[in-house]
Amino acid sequence: MTQGDVPKIVVIFPTKNEEATIEHVIRTAKKSHYDPGVIVIDAYSSDRTVIIAHDIGARVIEQGNRMFPAKGIAMKKGIKEAISSNASIALFLDADIKNLTPEWIDKLIDGCINCDMVRGYYQRHSRDAPVTKLIAKPMISAFFPELSHFEQPLSGEVCARTEVWKRLLKQNPPDGWGIDVWFLIEAAMAGYQIKEIFLGTKEHTSFEDYREDVGKLAKMAEQVEFTIIKEAIKYGRIDLHKDVKT
């Protein structure tokens, strides 16, 4: 894609009971100067998420599997929808962001014009992102040290050219919370150009759910940990654990 091309963009929100923020994030996405299509991949929300998304013009699709947590399933479904809609770039965003701005979206898409994958990173509350800090980053540093400079390996704000997503989809991505770090590792191992863009401060409702009890993130931590271990085995990196001081 060249700088002069006008790309067709889709913004994809995986959702599960996000009625408090879904209107804000969809309306914000629609304000991007790229005029993106908006797709919501819903994990059978029991609140008004789907109704609200429909009412403000998003295309809403059930993820197709009642397993939860299943972010990987939702993202894979979103990629397939982006491919079928002939989008040239697909951007995934978390649906619980309280301070999402059109500038976030424009920055991520701008960065993807001449890059394979762009990932957002941000300043967060000191008690936020425990799985990133305690699991993802230490394990990436051990097994994939060339990726240790990425600030947010679990970022939910990820933009890539559809041909990149299409190739990664063929590599059997995980169904759960491991999907974000899996996309990072697989894209890097495939030789794609990946960069991070600073988006400012992130405020999201999920932090309010676990800030007093990080034990609620146990399943996420488990899935991220074993995703990285499986990737280390796949790429012959597992013996690097011997270099970790215990």
Side-chain angles (χ1 to χ4, degrees):
M1 185 183 303
T2 65
Q3 195 72 36
D5 291 334
V6 179
K8 179 179 179 181
I9 311 295
V10 292
V11 173
I12 305 167
F13 294 103
T15 61
K16 175 72 172 181
N17 294 335
E18 306 289 0
E19 66 177 3
T21 51
I22 191 65
E23 180 173 359
H24 165 66
V25 297
I26 291 174
R27 291 195 186 281
T28 299
K30 288 175 175 286
K31 292 177 183 177
S32 164
H33 74 252
Y34 284 99
D35 190 27
V38 178
I39 300 174
V40 169
I41 306 295
D42 188 71
Y44 300 94
S45 292
S46 58
D47 64 4
R48 299 182 65 251
T49 297
V50 169
I51 295 171
I52 295 169
H54 268 304
D55 287 349
I56 58 177
R59 182 180 176 196
V60 182
I61 301 165
E62 290 182 344
Q63 72 177 25
N65 186 315
R66 288 186 178 271
M67 185 181 93
F68 190 82
K71 187 179 182 183
I73 290 176
M75 290 188 73
K76 288 185 281 188
K77 184 76 169 181
I79 292 169
K80 292 175 182 177
E81 292 300 323
I83 293 169
S84 67
S85 66
N86 295 314
S88 52
I89 292 176
L91 167 60
F92 285 93
L93 296 172
D94 287 341
D96 69 334
I97 305 173
K98 297 191 291 184
N99 64 324
L100 181 68
T101 70
E103 288 73 28
W104 282 30
I105 296 163
D106 294 341
K107 283 184 178 181
L108 289 163
I109 297 170
D110 286 345
C112 208
I113 298 299
N114 291 309
C115 186
D116 298 313
M117 177 179 285
V118 179
R119 304 170 64 88
Y121 77 101
Y122 14 74
Q123 186 175 14
R124 301 168 82 165
H125 190 283
S126 61
R127 296 177 65 180
D128 200 359
V131 177
T132 295
K133 296 172 181 175
L134 301 178
I135 301 292
K137 285 185 70 66
M139 293 191 70
I140 287 174
S141 293
F143 295 117
F144 297 93
E146 69 273 34
L147 304 180
S148 62
H149 64 283
F150 283 98
E151 294 288 337
Q152 299 287 340
L154 306 184
S155 178
E157 287 64 63
V158 184
C159 189
R161 293 183 291 109
T162 305
E163 62 191 75
V164 175
W165 290 125
K166 187 175 182 179
R167 177 174 172 180
L168 293 174
L169 189 62
K170 295 178 181 178
Q171 305 303 314
N172 193 30
D175 289 337
W177 290 118
I179 190 72
D180 295 312
V181 73
W182 185 93
F183 276 135
L184 172 62
I185 294 171
E186 286 291 328
M189 298 306 288
Y192 287 121
Q193 181 185 9
I194 309 168
K195 63 182 177 183
E196 280 189 312
I197 292 180
F198 182 66
L199 299 175
T201 301
K202 182 176 183 178
E203 299 175 9
H204 57 127
T205 60
S206 59
F207 175 50
E208 298 165 7
D209 294 334
Y210 63 72
R211 65 182 298 168
E212 299 301 330
D213 181 10
V214 295
K216 294 179 179 180
L217 298 177
K219 178 57 68 175
M220 180 182 185
E222 175 188 82
Q223 292 182 350
V224 168
E225 178 180 13
F226 280 94
T227 297
I228 297 171
I229 290 172
K230 289 177 181 179
E231 289 293 282
I233 294 170
K234 175 180 177 179
Y235 288 106
R237 304 289 189 92
I238 197 65
D239 283 347
L240 292 177
H241 79 275
K242 297 175 183 177
D243 296 331
V244 179
K245 304 298 182 183
T246 59

